[in-house]
């Protein structure tokens, strides 16, 4: 295996994950928004909420289909690109993979009932099917994240040169830190999807201020967006504290922290120079890292220099991805606070141009933070595929010429991405105000 083929294998897996995670996140969150819309329709009798629920159900189906395709590709890639990993550790971590499959099929069954059974089954059963779609989607993400937790903090077996022995599947499935990582991932799915939905409807309201349907849609998205934006930093802090104890070299890479220090500063921004082992252009907050990592201003934080150079993650990439994740998360939390403040003072969700512009600009931030967070997780574990046990280079397939499938799948993902955007835009376009009345409505709303 040449270094070039290893890089292509990693790039193909990274591309597949980056593509799939968008659809997986939407598959987790859109059913929740769909059910909330349905409940609002049942409580108010407003037909707009019923229409919104139906639109969200169709969007869920579209994204579910693409997510199923990309997820199937990922399953094959695990076996074809990383046969040593699956061959050696498949029996250890196979249980959450199996449970994820059960959750996937459960979601598909109830999504079919929800989509086609609105007028064919009782209202209670129809609503129950929507709830089950939401629960199954969350369960699917939960079980997949448990696999990633195992790769970061392997447990439930005894490593030997011949392979794992004394396998305990349940212990492996709930490896240390599982509660923090799964909560962080699930919140990020809800947050990214709710912010994207809010951004879309904010864009339409800027062009059609009187569009009642989109005001109602925004009233469904904003609560979920605000709650998750404020909860995520709290869960992220717990996750980071666990990383500080369980994966100190990863924390050091995230913070570009080279020297072991008591009362270590928190570096905001900056660019690490790995050769000189310095950071330029950062804003250093005294004792900030010690406080955040160990809740003690004088705590000792290990630096990268404490660890052999060959187990360092790619420091610059991990640090910058972490900064992007934290920066975008902070912006979303601030916007959530401002929105809730306006909501409390005005007794309704704000629809002014200033807030709509802010939500429009913030619409993509959830997905940016989601992708950046996964890059931190995956880059931060390198050079290991199973931390401390198996290196990535030991797990890759010996089959050469991996550039060909990489470029092939890149073209497929580009085609799928453009197609999905077109289909989803058709869904949104069907709700836009039409005709001269829309112009009058917008002008009246602007006057008021």
């Amino acid at each position: 295996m040449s270094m070039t083929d290893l890089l292509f294998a990693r790039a193909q897996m990274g591309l597949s994950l980056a593509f799939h995670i968008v659809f997986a996140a939407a598959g987790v969150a859109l059913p929740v928004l769909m059910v909330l819309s349905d409940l609002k329709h049942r409580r108010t009798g407003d037909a707009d909420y019923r229409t919104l629920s139906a639109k969200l159900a169709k969007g869920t189906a579209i994204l579910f289909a693409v997510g199923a395709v990309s997820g199937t590709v990922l399953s094959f890639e695990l076996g074809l690109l990383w046969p040593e990993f699956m061959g050696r550790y498949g029996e250890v971590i196979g249980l959450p993979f199996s449970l994820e499959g059960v959750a996937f099929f459960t979601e598909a069954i109830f999504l079919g009932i929800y989509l086609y059974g609105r007028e064919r089954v009782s209202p209670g059963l129809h609503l129950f099917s929507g709830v089950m779609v939401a629960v199954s989607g969350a369960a699917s993400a939960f079980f997949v994240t448990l696999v990633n937790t195992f790769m970061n903090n392997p447990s439930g077996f005894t490593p030997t040169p011949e392979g794992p022995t004394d396998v305990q599947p349940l212990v492996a499935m709930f490896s240390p830190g599982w509660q923090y990582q799964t909560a962080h991932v699930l919140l990020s799915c809800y947050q990214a999807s709710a912010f994207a939905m809010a951004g879309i409807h904010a864009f339409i309201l800027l062009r059609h201020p009187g569009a009642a349907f989109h005001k109602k849609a925004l009233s469904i998205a904003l609560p979920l967006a605000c709650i998750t934006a404020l909860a995520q930093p709290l869960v992220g802090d717990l996750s980071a504290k666990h990383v500080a104890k369980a994966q100190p070299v990863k924390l050091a890479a995230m913070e570009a922290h080279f020297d072991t220090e008591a009362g270590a500063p928190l570096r905001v921004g900056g660019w690490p120079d790995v050769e000189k082992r310095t950071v330029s252009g950062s804003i250093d907050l005294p004792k900030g890292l010690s406080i955040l990592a160990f809740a003690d201003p004088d705590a000792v934080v290990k630096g990268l220099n404490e660890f052999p150079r060959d187990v360092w993650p790619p420091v610059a990439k991990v640090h910058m991805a972490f900064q992007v994740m934290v920066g975008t998360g902070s912006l979303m939390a601030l916007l959530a606070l401002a929105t809730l403040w306006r909501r409390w003072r005005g007794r309704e969700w704000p629809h002014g141009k200033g807030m709509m512009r802010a939500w429009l600009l913030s619409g993509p931030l959830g997905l940016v933070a989601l992708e950046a967070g996964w890059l931190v997780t995956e880059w931060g574990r390198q050079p290991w595929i199973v931390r401390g046990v198996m290196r990535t280079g030991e797990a890759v397939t010996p089959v050469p010429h991996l550039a060909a499938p990489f470029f092939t799948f890149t073209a497929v993902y580009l085609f799928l991405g453009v197609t999905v955007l077109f289909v989803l835009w058709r869904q949104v376009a069907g709700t836009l105000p039409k005709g001269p009345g829309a112009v009058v409505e917008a002008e009246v709303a602007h006057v008021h």
Side-chain angles (χ1 to χ4, degrees):
M1 167 60 62
S2 69
M3 182 58 69
T4 301
D5 281 329
L6 174 60
L7 290 175
F8 273 119
R10 290 182 59 193
Q12 183 174 334
M13 198 71 186
L15 174 68
S16 299
L17 279 168
F19 183 84
H20 175 71
I21 196 172
V22 174
F23 300 97
V28 171
L30 284 188
V32 173
L33 294 162
M34 174 184 79
V35 170
L36 291 175
S37 303
D38 208 342
L39 287 170
K40 197 68 177 284
H41 164 65
R42 291 167 184 270
R43 188 163 58 248
T44 65
D46 191 324
D48 281 342
Y49 289 111
R50 186 182 189 279
T51 301
L52 177 62
S53 177
K55 290 284 184 182
L56 288 170
K58 289 181 180 178
T60 299
I62 294 166
L63 296 171
F64 179 83
V66 178
V69 172
S70 56
T72 302
V73 170
L74 274 170
S75 300
F76 279 107
E77 286 178 349
L78 278 171
L80 295 175
L81 294 178
W82 313 102
E84 293 300 320
F85 165 62
M86 293 304 293
R88 181 163 291 196
Y89 293 100
E91 64 171 316
V92 182
I93 203 60
L95 181 57
F97 276 127
S98 301
L99 293 174
E100 191 276 335
V102 173
F104 171 81
F105 285 113
T106 303
E107 183 179 7
I109 291 168
F110 282 103
L111 181 58
I113 295 173
Y114 192 88
L115 277 171
Y116 302 109
R118 187 179 290 273
E119 308 297 339
R120 296 176 174 85
V121 299
S122 68
L125 178 57
H126 185 257
L127 180 62
F128 175 75
S129 66
V131 172
M132 287 303 298
V133 173
V135 171
S136 301
S140 183
F142 175 81
F143 290 125
V144 167
T145 306
L146 290 179
V147 176
N148 192 264
T149 303
F150 168 82
M151 295 166 74
N152 288 319
N153 297 288
S155 64
F157 68 97
T158 300
T160 70
E162 292 75 30
T165 60
D166 304 322
V167 175
Q168 303 174 65
L170 283 175
V171 175
M173 186 166 76
F174 294 102
S175 292
W178 67 269
Q179 61 272 54
Y180 308 120
Q181 191 166 338
T182 53
H184 198 46
V185 167
L186 286 171
L187 276 176
S188 68
C189 293
Y190 298 126
Q191 183 178 0
S193 301
F195 265 79
M197 179 174 169
I200 290 169
H201 294 290
F203 170 74
I204 295 171
L205 286 170
L206 283 170
R207 301 187 63 183
H208 305 280
F213 175 85
H214 295 282
K215 285 185 178 181
K216 294 167 187 174
L218 196 65
S219 73
I220 295 295
L222 286 182
L224 184 61
C226 291
I227 291 170
T228 52
L230 295 178
Q232 188 65 287
L234 302 177
V235 175
D237 178 66
L238 294 174
S239 182
K241 283 180 168 59
H242 174 75
V243 169
K245 296 175 182 177
Q247 303 177 69
V249 66
K250 181 177 181 178
L251 177 76
M254 288 160 53
E255 300 289 351
H257 184 63
F258 289 96
D259 297 317
T260 299
E261 296 180 64
L266 179 69
R267 293 183 176 87
V268 180
W271 182 258
D273 187 325
V274 177
E275 298 305 319
K276 296 181 180 179
R277 305 192 178 192
T278 59
V279 181
S280 59
S282 65
I283 300 172
D284 293 359
L285 305 179
K287 300 191 177 185
L289 182 55
S290 292
I291 294 171
L292 289 177
F294 298 104
D296 179 358
D298 298 314
V300 175
V301 181
K302 289 184 178 181
L304 287 161
N305 293 330
E306 288 282 327
F307 304 94
R309 183 67 181 83
D310 66 342
V311 299
W312 287 17
V315 178
K317 293 194 290 187
V318 173
H319 177 68
M320 295 311 297
F322 182 68
Q323 295 294 307
V324 169
M325 181 187 71
V326 173
T328 52
S330 300
L331 288 174
M332 287 186 284
L334 289 173
L335 179 57
L337 284 173
T339 301
L340 290 173
W341 171 254
R342 295 282 295 273
R343 170 72 173 83
W344 180 73
R345 294 197 63 184
R347 304 300 179 186
E348 64 178 10
W349 293 105
H351 299 109
K353 284 189 175 181
M355 291 301 294
M356 291 302 94
R357 289 193 184 101
W359 278 99
L360 169 60
L361 294 173
S362 300
L365 293 186
L367 290 173
V368 172
L370 180 69
E371 295 284 8
W374 273 104
L375 288 175
V376 171
T377 299
E378 296 304 298
W379 281 339
R381 192 180 60 248
Q382 297 304 316
W384 308 99
I385 192 167
V386 181
R387 187 176 63 86
V389 179
M390 174 178 277
R391 289 178 179 262
T392 307
E394 298 170 346
V396 73
T397 177
V399 177
H401 311 302
L402 295 182
F406 171 76
F407 288 114
T408 301
F409 279 107
T410 299
V412 170
Y413 288 141
L414 284 172
F415 172 76
L416 281 175
V418 171
T419 303
V420 169
L421 287 175
F422 174 75
V423 173
L424 291 179
W425 174 245
R426 290 285 299 270
Q427 289 289 314
V428 174
T431 66
L432 295 178
K434 297 177 178 65
V439 177
V440 173
E441 179 188 30
E443 290 180 351
V444 170
H446 180 69
V447 169
H448 286 287

